[in-house]
Amino acid sequence: MKPLFSRSLCSLALAVACLANADANAEEKVLNLYSARHYQTDEALYESFTKQTGIKIKRIEGKDDELVERIRNEGAYSPADVLLTVDAARLSAAHELGLFAAVSSPILEARIPVNLRTSDWFSFSTRARVIVYGKGAVNPEHLKTYDDLANPRLKGKICSRSGSHPYNLSLMASIIAHQGEVRAEQWAKGVVANFARAPKGGDTDQIRAVAAGECAVAVSNTYYLARLMRSDKAEDRQTMDKIGVVWPDQQGVGAHINVSGGGVLKHAPHREAAIKFLEYLASDQAQRYFADGNNEWPVVVGVKIDNPALEALGKFKADSLPVASLAMYRAKAQIIFDRAGYR
Ligand code: FE
């Protein structure tokens, strides 16, 4: 609002210069953020950024698809500076639509590992997709890899969320990247043949179904597990008592990880502020917010975190497949899931 106020103080003769000045101020002091992250703990992130830089964040929250659609419709007139969302498949979809601008930042390049960034979007936190099983319902020795989920010995035992969901599409994309399309399709068919019920609900619903004995095995993102572990509700902790968690593929390529991330938009009116914001998200402080607040792992190596649930989940080997590869096989993943009847 400040630039408008100072504009009104300008004399007529100086109006043009003042307008230019007001625009320069706007360039410095405001950031329009479109965010599909709906985590209360992100508030603290935005507040500290404003405190440190004086740049006020104007946030528009929405569902990922709606925000992307909005940015497309706004076109060259879009006020959006930064898009933040979760999942490599979604970030890559925004990239393919040409929404992001290339960013070259020595800070981002130094702090974010190369497999977790692209030329125009960057990961700021990671989450792993792990196998969850009912204690006593299956032998965890039979659940060491994602491949094991397709083994006929699990017939009638698997619960899943939809195959169209980005989390499953990204997992499938990683399987295509590592094993090729033919084996990936065999895998999808094997998992479908093991379903206890048609896919429905979110990751937490699958965890609860396993704990309730409706099925014996599911996959889930780690932060849903951490959330239940840290919950104040006794029933949530009871749910966790009934299940075991397996880090898949520890003797192989490592557990599939997905990311949350974002990029500067092509028509960003405040490009400098936008880059500053991304650099802030890679700072130690912001990285700790992701970990301690939302139970995700920092992308920056060596950041000290304080989250008992993440510690309880333990150390693991993560798949180092570049996020760009997940993006590359996203469309194929959907085609294969459709063909396999993984809906
Ligand atoms: Fe989620």
Side-chain angles (χ1 to χ4, degrees), residues 37 39-42 44-45 125-126 223 226-227 230 284-298 303-311:
R37 289 176 58 96
Y39 308 122
Q40 274 184 357
T41 47
D42 283 1
L45 267 178
S125 64
T126 67
Y223 56 91
R227 220 178 269 170
R230 296 175 81 182
D284 280 16
Q285 184 191 52
Q287 289 285 295
R288 272 196 295 270
Y289 280 126
F290 285 127
D292 300 344
N294 197 46
N295 305 307
E296 298 170 271
W297 281 280
V303 171
K304 285 224 163 60
I305 61 171
D306 180 20
N307 182 325
L310 289 186
E311 257 154 52

PDB file of all heavy atoms in Angstrom, residues 37 39-42 44-45 125-126 223 226-227 230 284-298 303-311:
ATOM      1  N   ARG A  37       0.285 -25.461  -0.867  1.00  0.00           N
ATOM      2  CA  ARG A  37       0.619 -26.083   0.419  1.00  0.00           C
ATOM      3  C   ARG A  37      -0.382 -25.556   1.430  1.00  0.00           C
ATOM      4  O   ARG A  37      -0.565 -24.358   1.558  1.00  0.00           O
ATOM      5  CB  ARG A  37       2.029 -25.699   0.867  1.00  0.00           C
ATOM      6  CG  ARG A  37       3.150 -26.325   0.064  1.00  0.00           C
ATOM      7  CD  ARG A  37       4.503 -25.790   0.550  1.00  0.00           C
ATOM      8  NE  ARG A  37       4.725 -26.054   1.963  1.00  0.00           N
ATOM      9  CZ  ARG A  37       5.402 -27.098   2.449  1.00  0.00           C
ATOM     10  NH1 ARG A  37       5.963 -27.952   1.635  1.00  0.00           N
ATOM     11  NH2 ARG A  37       5.556 -27.272   3.741  1.00  0.00           N
ATOM     12  N   TYR A  39      -0.402 -26.050   4.911  1.00  0.00           N
ATOM     13  CA  TYR A  39       0.096 -26.475   6.212  1.00  0.00           C
ATOM     14  C   TYR A  39       0.166 -25.259   7.103  1.00  0.00           C
ATOM     15  O   TYR A  39       0.785 -24.262   6.754  1.00  0.00           O
ATOM     16  CB  TYR A  39       1.477 -27.123   6.072  1.00  0.00           C
ATOM     17  CG  TYR A  39       1.521 -28.220   5.032  1.00  0.00           C
ATOM     18  CD1 TYR A  39       2.403 -28.155   3.960  1.00  0.00           C
ATOM     19  CD2 TYR A  39       0.672 -29.319   5.127  1.00  0.00           C
ATOM     20  CE1 TYR A  39       2.438 -29.157   2.997  1.00  0.00           C
ATOM     21  CE2 TYR A  39       0.706 -30.321   4.171  1.00  0.00           C
ATOM     22  CZ  TYR A  39       1.583 -30.239   3.109  1.00  0.00           C
ATOM     23  OH  TYR A  39       1.615 -31.222   2.162  1.00  0.00           O
ATOM     24  N   GLN A  40      -0.487 -25.344   8.265  1.00  0.00           N
ATOM     25  CA  GLN A  40      -0.524 -24.200   9.181  1.00  0.00           C
ATOM     26  C   GLN A  40       0.871 -23.717   9.526  1.00  0.00           C
ATOM     27  O   GLN A  40       1.095 -22.525   9.698  1.00  0.00           O
ATOM     28  CB  GLN A  40      -1.249 -24.606  10.458  1.00  0.00           C
ATOM     29  CG  GLN A  40      -2.744 -24.434  10.330  1.00  0.00           C
ATOM     30  CD  GLN A  40      -3.456 -24.743  11.631  1.00  0.00           C
ATOM     31  OE1 GLN A  40      -2.815 -25.143  12.619  1.00  0.00           O
ATOM     32  NE2 GLN A  40      -4.746 -24.560  11.628  1.00  0.00           N
ATOM     33  N   THR A  41       1.793 -24.673   9.603  1.00  0.00           N
ATOM     34  CA  THR A  41       3.131 -24.309  10.044  1.00  0.00           C
ATOM     35  C   THR A  41       3.851 -23.440   9.017  1.00  0.00           C
ATOM     36  O   THR A  41       4.864 -22.835   9.332  1.00  0.00           O
ATOM     37  CB  THR A  41       3.966 -25.572  10.288  1.00  0.00           C
ATOM     38  OG1 THR A  41       3.795 -26.435   9.171  1.00  0.00           O
ATOM     39  CG2 THR A  41       3.527 -26.278  11.539  1.00  0.00           C
ATOM     40  N   ASP A  42       3.339 -23.383   7.791  1.00  0.00           N
ATOM     41  CA  ASP A  42       3.974 -22.541   6.781  1.00  0.00           C
ATOM     42  C   ASP A  42       3.843 -21.053   7.113  1.00  0.00           C
ATOM     43  O   ASP A  42       4.619 -20.232   6.635  1.00  0.00           O
ATOM     44  CB  ASP A  42       3.380 -22.817   5.399  1.00  0.00           C
ATOM     45  CG  ASP A  42       3.913 -24.117   4.799  1.00  0.00           C
ATOM     46  OD1 ASP A  42       4.718 -24.784   5.476  1.00  0.00           O
ATOM     47  OD2 ASP A  42       3.538 -24.450   3.668  1.00  0.00           O
ATOM     48  N   ALA A  44       4.630 -19.526   9.779  1.00  0.00           N
ATOM     49  CA  ALA A  44       5.863 -19.075  10.424  1.00  0.00           C
ATOM     50  C   ALA A  44       6.934 -18.776   9.378  1.00  0.00           C
ATOM     51  O   ALA A  44       7.701 -17.819   9.504  1.00  0.00           O
ATOM     52  CB  ALA A  44       6.357 -20.140  11.398  1.00  0.00           C
ATOM     53  N   LEU A  45       6.954 -19.598   8.335  1.00  0.00           N
ATOM     54  CA  LEU A  45       7.899 -19.385   7.229  1.00  0.00           C
ATOM     55  C   LEU A  45       7.732 -18.000   6.637  1.00  0.00           C
ATOM     56  O   LEU A  45       8.692 -17.254   6.457  1.00  0.00           O
ATOM     57  CB  LEU A  45       7.556 -20.359   6.098  1.00  0.00           C
ATOM     58  CG  LEU A  45       8.216 -21.700   5.972  1.00  0.00           C
ATOM     59  CD1 LEU A  45       7.630 -22.433   4.776  1.00  0.00           C
ATOM     60  CD2 LEU A  45       9.708 -21.525   5.791  1.00  0.00           C
ATOM     61  N   SER A 125      11.778 -29.578   0.127  1.00  0.00           N
ATOM     62  CA  SER A 125      11.688 -30.615   1.159  1.00  0.00           C
ATOM     63  C   SER A 125      11.397 -31.942   0.476  1.00  0.00           C
ATOM     64  O   SER A 125      10.929 -31.969  -0.660  1.00  0.00           O
ATOM     65  CB  SER A 125      10.590 -30.279   2.167  1.00  0.00           C
ATOM     66  OG  SER A 125       9.331 -30.278   1.525  1.00  0.00           O
ATOM     67  N   THR A 126      11.705 -33.016   1.188  1.00  0.00           N
ATOM     68  CA  THR A 126      11.425 -34.333   0.621  1.00  0.00           C
ATOM     69  C   THR A 126      10.565 -35.157   1.577  1.00  0.00           C
ATOM     70  O   THR A 126      10.559 -34.925   2.786  1.00  0.00           O
ATOM     71  CB  THR A 126      12.709 -35.144   0.328  1.00  0.00           C
ATOM     72  OG1 THR A 126      13.354 -35.468   1.564  1.00  0.00           O
ATOM     73  CG2 THR A 126      13.664 -34.387  -0.560  1.00  0.00           C
ATOM     74  N   TYR A 223       5.183 -38.203   5.940  1.00  0.00           N
ATOM     75  CA  TYR A 223       4.700 -37.171   6.864  1.00  0.00           C
ATOM     76  C   TYR A 223       3.329 -37.514   7.437  1.00  0.00           C
ATOM     77  O   TYR A 223       2.977 -37.070   8.518  1.00  0.00           O
ATOM     78  CB  TYR A 223       4.699 -35.771   6.227  1.00  0.00           C
ATOM     79  CG  TYR A 223       3.899 -35.683   4.955  1.00  0.00           C
ATOM     80  CD1 TYR A 223       2.564 -35.344   4.955  1.00  0.00           C
ATOM     81  CD2 TYR A 223       4.510 -35.953   3.732  1.00  0.00           C
ATOM     82  CE1 TYR A 223       1.843 -35.285   3.787  1.00  0.00           C
ATOM     83  CE2 TYR A 223       3.801 -35.891   2.563  1.00  0.00           C
ATOM     84  CZ  TYR A 223       2.456 -35.556   2.590  1.00  0.00           C
ATOM     85  OH  TYR A 223       1.752 -35.504   1.420  1.00  0.00           O
ATOM     86  N   ALA A 226       4.245 -39.576  10.413  1.00  0.00           N
ATOM     87  CA  ALA A 226       4.792 -38.724  11.472  1.00  0.00           C
ATOM     88  C   ALA A 226       3.686 -37.930  12.153  1.00  0.00           C
ATOM     89  O   ALA A 226       3.693 -37.736  13.368  1.00  0.00           O
ATOM     90  CB  ALA A 226       5.843 -37.780  10.889  1.00  0.00           C
ATOM     91  N   ARG A 227       2.719 -37.494  11.365  1.00  0.00           N
ATOM     92  CA  ARG A 227       1.590 -36.737  11.910  1.00  0.00           C
ATOM     93  C   ARG A 227       0.804 -37.582  12.927  1.00  0.00           C
ATOM     94  O   ARG A 227       0.451 -37.103  13.993  1.00  0.00           O
ATOM     95  CB  ARG A 227       0.670 -36.350  10.752  1.00  0.00           C
ATOM     96  CG  ARG A 227       0.111 -34.955  10.858  1.00  0.00           C
ATOM     97  CD  ARG A 227      -0.755 -34.644   9.654  1.00  0.00           C
ATOM     98  NE  ARG A 227      -0.034 -34.024   8.566  1.00  0.00           N
ATOM     99  CZ  ARG A 227      -0.555 -33.831   7.336  1.00  0.00           C
ATOM    100  NH1 ARG A 227      -1.778 -34.256   7.076  1.00  0.00           N
ATOM    101  NH2 ARG A 227       0.155 -33.245   6.400  1.00  0.00           N
ATOM    102  N   ARG A 230       2.754 -37.981  16.116  1.00  0.00           N
ATOM    103  CA  ARG A 230       2.817 -36.780  16.960  1.00  0.00           C
ATOM    104  C   ARG A 230       1.441 -36.295  17.398  1.00  0.00           C
ATOM    105  O   ARG A 230       1.315 -35.252  18.038  1.00  0.00           O
ATOM    106  CB  ARG A 230       3.532 -35.653  16.201  1.00  0.00           C
ATOM    107  CG  ARG A 230       4.982 -35.960  15.888  1.00  0.00           C
ATOM    108  CD  ARG A 230       5.599 -34.860  15.032  1.00  0.00           C
ATOM    109  NE  ARG A 230       6.017 -33.708  15.818  1.00  0.00           N
ATOM    110  CZ  ARG A 230       6.549 -32.609  15.277  1.00  0.00           C
ATOM    111  NH1 ARG A 230       6.716 -32.517  13.976  1.00  0.00           N
ATOM    112  NH2 ARG A 230       6.913 -31.605  16.041  1.00  0.00           N
ATOM    113  N   ASP A 284      18.800 -22.332   6.291  1.00  0.00           N
ATOM    114  CA  ASP A 284      18.720 -23.283   7.405  1.00  0.00           C
ATOM    115  C   ASP A 284      17.401 -23.124   8.162  1.00  0.00           C
ATOM    116  O   ASP A 284      16.753 -24.095   8.515  1.00  0.00           O
ATOM    117  CB  ASP A 284      19.884 -23.066   8.389  1.00  0.00           C
ATOM    118  CG  ASP A 284      21.176 -23.707   7.879  1.00  0.00           C
ATOM    119  OD1 ASP A 284      21.232 -24.029   6.667  1.00  0.00           O
ATOM    120  OD2 ASP A 284      22.112 -23.870   8.677  1.00  0.00           O
ATOM    121  N   GLN A 285      17.037 -21.866   8.401  1.00  0.00           N
ATOM    122  CA  GLN A 285      15.833 -21.609   9.189  1.00  0.00           C
ATOM    123  C   GLN A 285      14.582 -22.162   8.511  1.00  0.00           C
ATOM    124  O   GLN A 285      13.791 -22.881   9.124  1.00  0.00           O
ATOM    125  CB  GLN A 285      15.686 -20.096   9.401  1.00  0.00           C
ATOM    126  CG  GLN A 285      14.522 -19.747  10.284  1.00  0.00           C
ATOM    127  CD  GLN A 285      14.225 -18.254  10.255  1.00  0.00           C
ATOM    128  OE1 GLN A 285      14.080 -17.666   9.195  1.00  0.00           O
ATOM    129  NE2 GLN A 285      14.175 -17.654  11.427  1.00  0.00           N
ATOM    130  N   ALA A 286      14.419 -21.844   7.237  1.00  0.00           N
ATOM    131  CA  ALA A 286      13.232 -22.313   6.523  1.00  0.00           C
ATOM    132  C   ALA A 286      13.239 -23.834   6.405  1.00  0.00           C
ATOM    133  O   ALA A 286      12.209 -24.489   6.539  1.00  0.00           O
ATOM    134  CB  ALA A 286      13.164 -21.676   5.140  1.00  0.00           C
ATOM    135  N   GLN A 287      14.406 -24.391   6.191  1.00  0.00           N
ATOM    136  CA  GLN A 287      14.521 -25.846   6.075  1.00  0.00           C
ATOM    137  C   GLN A 287      14.077 -26.524   7.373  1.00  0.00           C
ATOM    138  O   GLN A 287      13.468 -27.584   7.359  1.00  0.00           O
ATOM    139  CB  GLN A 287      15.972 -26.218   5.735  1.00  0.00           C
ATOM    140  CG  GLN A 287      16.352 -25.838   4.303  1.00  0.00           C
ATOM    141  CD  GLN A 287      15.730 -26.787   3.287  1.00  0.00           C
ATOM    142  OE1 GLN A 287      16.056 -27.958   3.250  1.00  0.00           O
ATOM    143  NE2 GLN A 287      14.827 -26.284   2.475  1.00  0.00           N
ATOM    144  N   ARG A 288      14.392 -25.872   8.492  1.00  0.00           N
ATOM    145  CA  ARG A 288      13.969 -26.419   9.789  1.00  0.00           C
ATOM    146  C   ARG A 288      12.453 -26.340   9.955  1.00  0.00           C
ATOM    147  O   ARG A 288      11.841 -27.230  10.541  1.00  0.00           O
ATOM    148  CB  ARG A 288      14.670 -25.688  10.937  1.00  0.00           C
ATOM    149  CG  ARG A 288      16.002 -26.314  11.299  1.00  0.00           C
ATOM    150  CD  ARG A 288      16.475 -25.841  12.660  1.00  0.00           C
ATOM    151  NE  ARG A 288      16.765 -24.412  12.647  1.00  0.00           N
ATOM    152  CZ  ARG A 288      17.962 -23.899  12.350  1.00  0.00           C
ATOM    153  NH1 ARG A 288      18.975 -24.699  12.067  1.00  0.00           N
ATOM    154  NH2 ARG A 288      18.142 -22.606  12.344  1.00  0.00           N
ATOM    155  N   TYR A 289      11.840 -25.278   9.430  1.00  0.00           N
ATOM    156  CA  TYR A 289      10.375 -25.189   9.498  1.00  0.00           C
ATOM    157  C   TYR A 289       9.731 -26.366   8.776  1.00  0.00           C
ATOM    158  O   TYR A 289       8.777 -26.962   9.237  1.00  0.00           O
ATOM    159  CB  TYR A 289       9.870 -23.888   8.865  1.00  0.00           C
ATOM    160  CG  TYR A 289       9.978 -22.676   9.750  1.00  0.00           C
ATOM    161  CD1 TYR A 289      10.637 -21.538   9.322  1.00  0.00           C
ATOM    162  CD2 TYR A 289       9.388 -22.665  11.020  1.00  0.00           C
ATOM    163  CE1 TYR A 289      10.731 -20.412  10.117  1.00  0.00           C
ATOM    164  CE2 TYR A 289       9.480 -21.537  11.824  1.00  0.00           C
ATOM    165  CZ  TYR A 289      10.151 -20.419  11.369  1.00  0.00           C
ATOM    166  OH  TYR A 289      10.234 -19.319  12.164  1.00  0.00           O
ATOM    167  N   PHE A 290      10.264 -26.691   7.597  1.00  0.00           N
ATOM    168  CA  PHE A 290       9.702 -27.812   6.843  1.00  0.00           C
ATOM    169  C   PHE A 290       9.789 -29.096   7.665  1.00  0.00           C
ATOM    170  O   PHE A 290       8.853 -29.889   7.721  1.00  0.00           O
ATOM    171  CB  PHE A 290      10.457 -28.026   5.526  1.00  0.00           C
ATOM    172  CG  PHE A 290      10.135 -27.006   4.462  1.00  0.00           C
ATOM    173  CD1 PHE A 290      11.143 -26.289   3.833  1.00  0.00           C
ATOM    174  CD2 PHE A 290       8.828 -26.780   4.064  1.00  0.00           C
ATOM    175  CE1 PHE A 290      10.850 -25.354   2.845  1.00  0.00           C
ATOM    176  CE2 PHE A 290       8.519 -25.851   3.081  1.00  0.00           C
ATOM    177  CZ  PHE A 290       9.542 -25.137   2.474  1.00  0.00           C
ATOM    178  N   ALA A 291      10.930 -29.284   8.305  1.00  0.00           N
ATOM    179  CA  ALA A 291      11.170 -30.536   9.023  1.00  0.00           C
ATOM    180  C   ALA A 291      10.377 -30.588  10.335  1.00  0.00           C
ATOM    181  O   ALA A 291       9.658 -31.552  10.593  1.00  0.00           O
ATOM    182  CB  ALA A 291      12.656 -30.692   9.313  1.00  0.00           C
ATOM    183  N   ASP A 292      10.518 -29.557  11.141  1.00  0.00           N
ATOM    184  CA  ASP A 292       9.927 -29.607  12.469  1.00  0.00           C
ATOM    185  C   ASP A 292       8.428 -29.359  12.417  1.00  0.00           C
ATOM    186  O   ASP A 292       7.665 -29.923  13.185  1.00  0.00           O
ATOM    187  CB  ASP A 292      10.614 -28.589  13.392  1.00  0.00           C
ATOM    188  CG  ASP A 292      12.116 -28.888  13.513  1.00  0.00           C
ATOM    189  OD1 ASP A 292      12.517 -30.010  13.140  1.00  0.00           O
ATOM    190  OD2 ASP A 292      12.866 -28.008  13.964  1.00  0.00           O
ATOM    191  N   GLY A 293       8.002 -28.522  11.495  1.00  0.00           N
ATOM    192  CA  GLY A 293       6.583 -28.194  11.404  1.00  0.00           C
ATOM    193  C   GLY A 293       5.788 -29.211  10.613  1.00  0.00           C
ATOM    194  O   GLY A 293       4.746 -29.674  11.046  1.00  0.00           O
ATOM    195  N   ASN A 294       6.281 -29.559   9.441  1.00  0.00           N
ATOM    196  CA  ASN A 294       5.463 -30.413   8.574  1.00  0.00           C
ATOM    197  C   ASN A 294       6.031 -31.810   8.371  1.00  0.00           C
ATOM    198  O   ASN A 294       5.603 -32.527   7.469  1.00  0.00           O
ATOM    199  CB  ASN A 294       5.229 -29.724   7.226  1.00  0.00           C
ATOM    200  CG  ASN A 294       4.076 -30.370   6.489  1.00  0.00           C
ATOM    201  OD1 ASN A 294       3.034 -30.619   7.070  1.00  0.00           O
ATOM    202  ND2 ASN A 294       4.289 -30.698   5.232  1.00  0.00           N
ATOM    203  N   ASN A 295       7.013 -32.192   9.176  1.00  0.00           N
ATOM    204  CA  ASN A 295       7.509 -33.574   9.145  1.00  0.00           C
ATOM    205  C   ASN A 295       8.078 -33.991   7.791  1.00  0.00           C
ATOM    206  O   ASN A 295       7.933 -35.141   7.376  1.00  0.00           O
ATOM    207  CB  ASN A 295       6.390 -34.546   9.561  1.00  0.00           C
ATOM    208  CG  ASN A 295       5.786 -34.196  10.905  1.00  0.00           C
ATOM    209  OD1 ASN A 295       6.501 -34.041  11.892  1.00  0.00           O
ATOM    210  ND2 ASN A 295       4.484 -34.040  10.949  1.00  0.00           N
ATOM    211  N   GLU A 296       8.703 -33.041   7.092  1.00  0.00           N
ATOM    212  CA  GLU A 296       9.381 -33.373   5.838  1.00  0.00           C
ATOM    213  C   GLU A 296      10.888 -33.282   6.074  1.00  0.00           C
ATOM    214  O   GLU A 296      11.326 -32.636   7.017  1.00  0.00           O
ATOM    215  CB  GLU A 296       8.963 -32.393   4.738  1.00  0.00           C
ATOM    216  CG  GLU A 296       7.475 -32.451   4.425  1.00  0.00           C
ATOM    217  CD  GLU A 296       7.015 -31.322   3.528  1.00  0.00           C
ATOM    218  OE1 GLU A 296       6.636 -30.257   4.032  1.00  0.00           O
ATOM    219  OE2 GLU A 296       7.048 -31.507   2.309  1.00  0.00           O
ATOM    220  N   TRP A 297      11.674 -33.886   5.207  1.00  0.00           N
ATOM    221  CA  TRP A 297      13.113 -33.782   5.359  1.00  0.00           C
ATOM    222  C   TRP A 297      13.636 -32.575   4.587  1.00  0.00           C
ATOM    223  O   TRP A 297      13.150 -32.276   3.485  1.00  0.00           O
ATOM    224  CB  TRP A 297      13.809 -35.041   4.832  1.00  0.00           C
ATOM    225  CG  TRP A 297      13.745 -36.153   5.810  1.00  0.00           C
ATOM    226  CD1 TRP A 297      14.526 -36.342   6.914  1.00  0.00           C
ATOM    227  CD2 TRP A 297      12.813 -37.240   5.806  1.00  0.00           C
ATOM    228  NE1 TRP A 297      14.129 -37.477   7.592  1.00  0.00           N
ATOM    229  CE2 TRP A 297      13.088 -38.048   6.939  1.00  0.00           C
ATOM    230  CE3 TRP A 297      11.761 -37.615   4.956  1.00  0.00           C
ATOM    231  CZ2 TRP A 297      12.367 -39.190   7.244  1.00  0.00           C
ATOM    232  CZ3 TRP A 297      11.044 -38.757   5.267  1.00  0.00           C
ATOM    233  CH2 TRP A 297      11.347 -39.531   6.390  1.00  0.00           C
ATOM    234  N   PRO A 298      14.629 -31.891   5.167  1.00  0.00           N
ATOM    235  CA  PRO A 298      15.240 -30.770   4.452  1.00  0.00           C
ATOM    236  C   PRO A 298      15.946 -31.284   3.189  1.00  0.00           C
ATOM    237  O   PRO A 298      16.403 -32.427   3.173  1.00  0.00           O
ATOM    238  CB  PRO A 298      16.290 -30.234   5.435  1.00  0.00           C
ATOM    239  CG  PRO A 298      16.007 -30.870   6.745  1.00  0.00           C
ATOM    240  CD  PRO A 298      15.275 -32.143   6.470  1.00  0.00           C
ATOM    241  N   VAL A 303      21.461 -29.718   7.651  1.00  0.00           N
ATOM    242  CA  VAL A 303      20.608 -28.869   8.480  1.00  0.00           C
ATOM    243  C   VAL A 303      20.177 -29.669   9.705  1.00  0.00           C
ATOM    244  O   VAL A 303      19.706 -30.798   9.586  1.00  0.00           O
ATOM    245  CB  VAL A 303      19.358 -28.399   7.692  1.00  0.00           C
ATOM    246  CG1 VAL A 303      18.360 -27.706   8.613  1.00  0.00           C
ATOM    247  CG2 VAL A 303      19.770 -27.474   6.568  1.00  0.00           C
ATOM    248  N   LYS A 304      20.359 -29.075  10.881  1.00  0.00           N
ATOM    249  CA  LYS A 304      19.988 -29.765  12.128  1.00  0.00           C
ATOM    250  C   LYS A 304      18.493 -29.607  12.368  1.00  0.00           C
ATOM    251  O   LYS A 304      17.991 -28.498  12.369  1.00  0.00           O
ATOM    252  CB  LYS A 304      20.757 -29.156  13.312  1.00  0.00           C
ATOM    253  CG  LYS A 304      22.198 -29.576  13.357  1.00  0.00           C
ATOM    254  CD  LYS A 304      22.614 -29.942  14.793  1.00  0.00           C
ATOM    255  CE  LYS A 304      23.895 -30.748  14.806  1.00  0.00           C
ATOM    256  NZ  LYS A 304      25.030 -30.001  14.191  1.00  0.00           N
ATOM    257  N   ILE A 305      17.805 -30.735  12.572  1.00  0.00           N
ATOM    258  CA  ILE A 305      16.372 -30.652  12.811  1.00  0.00           C
ATOM    259  C   ILE A 305      16.037 -31.215  14.183  1.00  0.00           C
ATOM    260  O   ILE A 305      16.853 -31.886  14.802  1.00  0.00           O
ATOM    261  CB  ILE A 305      15.570 -31.401  11.716  1.00  0.00           C
ATOM    262  CG1 ILE A 305      15.921 -32.900  11.694  1.00  0.00           C
ATOM    263  CG2 ILE A 305      15.836 -30.780  10.360  1.00  0.00           C
ATOM    264  CD1 ILE A 305      15.016 -33.711  10.797  1.00  0.00           C
ATOM    265  N   ASP A 306      14.824 -30.878  14.647  1.00  0.00           N
ATOM    266  CA  ASP A 306      14.404 -31.322  15.969  1.00  0.00           C
ATOM    267  C   ASP A 306      12.987 -31.868  15.840  1.00  0.00           C
ATOM    268  O   ASP A 306      12.009 -31.169  16.085  1.00  0.00           O
ATOM    269  CB  ASP A 306      14.459 -30.127  16.933  1.00  0.00           C
ATOM    270  CG  ASP A 306      14.021 -30.537  18.327  1.00  0.00           C
ATOM    271  OD1 ASP A 306      14.043 -31.748  18.638  1.00  0.00           O
ATOM    272  OD2 ASP A 306      13.627 -29.642  19.104  1.00  0.00           O
ATOM    273  N   ASN A 307      12.877 -33.102  15.380  1.00  0.00           N
ATOM    274  CA  ASN A 307      11.565 -33.710  15.163  1.00  0.00           C
ATOM    275  C   ASN A 307      11.612 -35.178  15.587  1.00  0.00           C
ATOM    276  O   ASN A 307      12.174 -36.013  14.888  1.00  0.00           O
ATOM    277  CB  ASN A 307      11.189 -33.585  13.678  1.00  0.00           C
ATOM    278  CG  ASN A 307       9.806 -34.145  13.390  1.00  0.00           C
ATOM    279  OD1 ASN A 307       9.372 -35.127  14.001  1.00  0.00           O
ATOM    280  ND2 ASN A 307       9.112 -33.521  12.461  1.00  0.00           N
ATOM    281  N   PRO A 308      11.028 -35.469  16.755  1.00  0.00           N
ATOM    282  CA  PRO A 308      11.109 -36.836  17.298  1.00  0.00           C
ATOM    283  C   PRO A 308      10.504 -37.886  16.363  1.00  0.00           C
ATOM    284  O   PRO A 308      10.989 -39.024  16.317  1.00  0.00           O
ATOM    285  CB  PRO A 308      10.319 -36.765  18.609  1.00  0.00           C
ATOM    286  CG  PRO A 308       9.645 -35.441  18.644  1.00  0.00           C
ATOM    287  CD  PRO A 308      10.297 -34.553  17.642  1.00  0.00           C
ATOM    288  N   ALA A 309       9.451 -37.515  15.632  1.00  0.00           N
ATOM    289  CA  ALA A 309       8.807 -38.497  14.747  1.00  0.00           C
ATOM    290  C   ALA A 309       9.734 -38.857  13.585  1.00  0.00           C
ATOM    291  O   ALA A 309       9.875 -40.031  13.227  1.00  0.00           O
ATOM    292  CB  ALA A 309       7.483 -37.949  14.221  1.00  0.00           C
ATOM    293  N   LEU A 310      10.395 -37.849  13.002  1.00  0.00           N
ATOM    294  CA  LEU A 310      11.325 -38.150  11.911  1.00  0.00           C
ATOM    295  C   LEU A 310      12.490 -38.984  12.434  1.00  0.00           C
ATOM    296  O   LEU A 310      12.963 -39.903  11.765  1.00  0.00           O
ATOM    297  CB  LEU A 310      11.863 -36.867  11.263  1.00  0.00           C
ATOM    298  CG  LEU A 310      10.876 -36.048  10.426  1.00  0.00           C
ATOM    299  CD1 LEU A 310      11.588 -34.899   9.735  1.00  0.00           C
ATOM    300  CD2 LEU A 310      10.142 -36.904   9.411  1.00  0.00           C
ATOM    301  N   GLU A 311      12.931 -38.660  13.650  1.00  0.00           N
ATOM    302  CA  GLU A 311      14.018 -39.452  14.235  1.00  0.00           C
ATOM    303  C   GLU A 311      13.585 -40.894  14.459  1.00  0.00           C
ATOM    304  O   GLU A 311      14.330 -41.826  14.186  1.00  0.00           O
ATOM    305  CB  GLU A 311      14.474 -38.835  15.554  1.00  0.00           C
ATOM    306  CG  GLU A 311      15.786 -38.079  15.406  1.00  0.00           C
ATOM    307  CD  GLU A 311      15.928 -36.982  16.440  1.00  0.00           C
ATOM    308  OE1 GLU A 311      15.764 -37.280  17.649  1.00  0.00           O
ATOM    309  OE2 GLU A 311      16.192 -35.833  16.031  1.00  0.00           O
TER     310      GLU A 311
END
